[in-house]
């Protein structure tokens, strides 16, 4: 009996090791083609005169960089034994970073006939010590959702950055849309992993219902809270806040 148990445990460990090795390998190998796309885009940007085209290339570089951050994250997690989500912080110019994220999301919204409107009180000298990859994930997921469930409408992003003590700031974010909205019953479950609402059957949704679950986990790492309010047929508001350390 004991022998069978040990063999089964050994098998599970081997399977996990194999999975970890594969995720590690993929995230590692994906970095070279991504860097190459970034380099080509930089080269092309240097050679074009058209300002609009230059901006497009900048967004390509930013988005590939975002993917690089993400694959680095996967790589780090596949190496770690604890498998716990933790913040990996560095010095970040918050205004620049968020501007970049929002401008690349703006192109995505335009492609679906949606308009991204931004309201922000962030100043150029707002420098914080934070995990930039996780901030990317939050905005990509939530604006991505707003865009997925809205057609020819608007998506509003409101950013409010305020000091709460000598060394901490609160970043309050509201992302609203005037899309299909969420039914009361779905609203109760949307933070569950793999939960997708009933509307998801009507729109082309390649997702799996993990986005908001991941966002909740990330927001809690920042000692913040996330809530969703919505009215069917009218639209959705996602509100969250992050506590950020001042540099
Ligand atoms: N802005 C929104 N408007 C309407 N419904 C939304 C919105 N955001 C989330 N939802 C609903 O909540 C569900 C869960 O969202 P979540 O981001 O977790 O999953 P997903 O977008 O379906 O898949 P994934 O994020 O894994 O790509 C969605 O399937 C959708 O029904
Ligand atoms: Mg999603």
């Amino acid at each position: 009996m004991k022998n069978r148990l040990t063999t089964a445990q050994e098998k599970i460990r081997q399977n996990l090791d194999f999975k970890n090795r594969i995720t590690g390998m993929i995230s590692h190998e994906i970095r070279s083609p991504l860097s190459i796309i970034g380099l080509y885009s930089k080269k092309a940007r240097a050679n074009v005169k058209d300002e609009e085209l230059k901006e497009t290339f900048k967004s390509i570089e930013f988005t590939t960089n975002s993917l690089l951050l993400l694959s680095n994250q996967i790589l780090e997690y596949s190496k770690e034994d604890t498998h716990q989500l933790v913040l990996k912080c560095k010095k970040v110019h918050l205004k620049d970073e968020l501007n970049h994220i929002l401008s690349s999301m703006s192109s995505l919204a335009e492609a679906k006939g949606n308009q991204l409107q931004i309201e922000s009180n962030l100043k150029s000298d707002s420098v914080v010590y934070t995990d930039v990859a996780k901030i990317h994930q939050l905005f990509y997921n939530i604006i991505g959702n707003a865009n997925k469930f809205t057609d020819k409408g608007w998506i509003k992003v409101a950013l409010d950055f305020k000091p709460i003590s000598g060394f901490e700031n609160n970043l309050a974010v509201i992302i609203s849309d005037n899309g299909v909205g969420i039914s009361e019953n779905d609203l109760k479950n949307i933070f569950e992993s793999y939960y997708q609402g009933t509307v998801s059957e009507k729109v082309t949704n390649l997702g799996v219902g993990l986005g908001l679950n991941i966002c909740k986990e990330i927001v809690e790492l920042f000692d913040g809270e996330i809530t969703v309010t919505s009215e069917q047929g009218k639209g959705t508001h996602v509100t969250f806040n992050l506590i950020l350390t001042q540099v």
Side-chain angles (χ1 to χ4, degrees):
M1 180 68 189
K2 197 174 167 215
N3 239 347
R4 266 173 49 200
L5 207 63
T6 328
T7 319
Q9 272 171 340
E10 176 62 15
K11 185 100 190 115
I12 293 170
R13 205 188 53 75
Q14 274 176 2
N15 281 345
L16 267 178
D17 280 353
F18 178 70
K19 265 196 180 162
N20 265 351
R21 210 164 63 81
I22 296 293
T23 4
M25 194 173 78
I26 294 172
S27 55
H28 185 263
E29 300 314 320
I30 217 169
R31 291 182 307 170
S32 310
L34 279 176
S35 311
I36 293 169
I37 297 173
L39 283 175
Y40 275 134
S41 169
K42 216 174 192 168
K43 215 166 150 185
R45 177 160 61 92
N47 286 319
V48 295
K49 298 268 178 307
D50 187 280
E51 280 306 314
E52 209 175 308
L53 213 52
K54 270 191 193 293
E55 282 305 309
T56 309
F57 280 119
K58 253 194 202 162
S59 286
I60 296 178
E61 283 152 46
F62 180 79
T63 316
T64 39
N65 190 45
S66 228
L67 281 170
L68 273 172
L69 283 174
L70 202 65
S71 47
N72 280 338
Q73 247 191 340
I74 303 173
L75 193 60
E76 273 173 41
Y77 284 121
S78 63
K79 269 193 323 203
E80 266 168 28
D81 292 330
T82 52
H83 297 293
Q84 262 198 335
L85 218 52
V86 284
L87 293 179
K88 309 253 162 148
C89 298
K90 62 171 197 173
K91 201 170 130 185
V92 177
H93 287 266
L94 200 58
K95 186 179 177 185
D96 290 351
E97 202 62 44
L98 289 175
N99 275 349
H100 278 310
I101 299 179
L102 294 172
S103 83
S104 67
M105 292 309 283
S106 179
S107 322
L108 190 77
E110 271 167 30
K112 256 198 95 195
N114 290 322
Q115 209 197 6
L116 193 70
Q117 300 165 8
I118 297 144
E119 206 179 285
S120 159
N121 70 349
L122 273 167
K123 298 201 176 66
S124 311
D125 60 354
S126 314
V127 184
V128 290
Y129 188 68
T130 195
D131 187 326
V132 75
K134 295 209 176 51
I135 292 186
H136 282 209
Q137 272 179 284
L138 284 175
F139 282 86
Y140 280 138
N141 270 299
I142 300 169
I143 301 179
N145 278 349
N147 192 45
K148 185 155 63 173
F149 299 106
T150 306
D151 261 320
K152 300 191 178 57
W154 48 254
I155 299 163
K156 289 180 190 163
V157 180
L159 306 168
D160 182 31
F161 184 76
K162 267 199 205 115
I164 47 172
S165 74
F167 59 96
E168 276 179 333
N169 299 284
N170 184 51
L171 175 69
V173 184
I174 308 175
I175 298 171
S176 325
D177 64 66
N178 66 343
V180 292
I182 308 170
S183 73
E184 246 177 79
N185 184 50
D186 285 338
L187 210 49
K188 285 186 234 147
N189 301 303
I190 50 170
F191 286 110
E192 301 288 321
S193 38
Y194 302 109
Y195 187 88
Q196 296 193 284
T198 40
V199 292
S200 294
E201 289 152 22
K202 294 185 205 127
V203 299
T204 321
N205 185 357
L206 291 175
V208 290
L210 265 184
L212 284 177
N213 181 268
I214 293 171
C215 287
K216 190 168 163 57
E217 201 174 344
I218 293 177
V219 167
E220 283 166 3
L221 280 180
F222 284 93
D223 289 325
E225 273 180 52
I226 178 165
T227 51
V228 181
T229 57
S230 185
E231 209 179 316
Q232 247 183 322
K234 293 242 165 96
T236 303
H237 302 267
V238 181
T239 308
F240 68 90
N241 76 298
L242 309 175
I243 310 293
L244 303 170
T245 310
Q246 182 87 36
V247 170

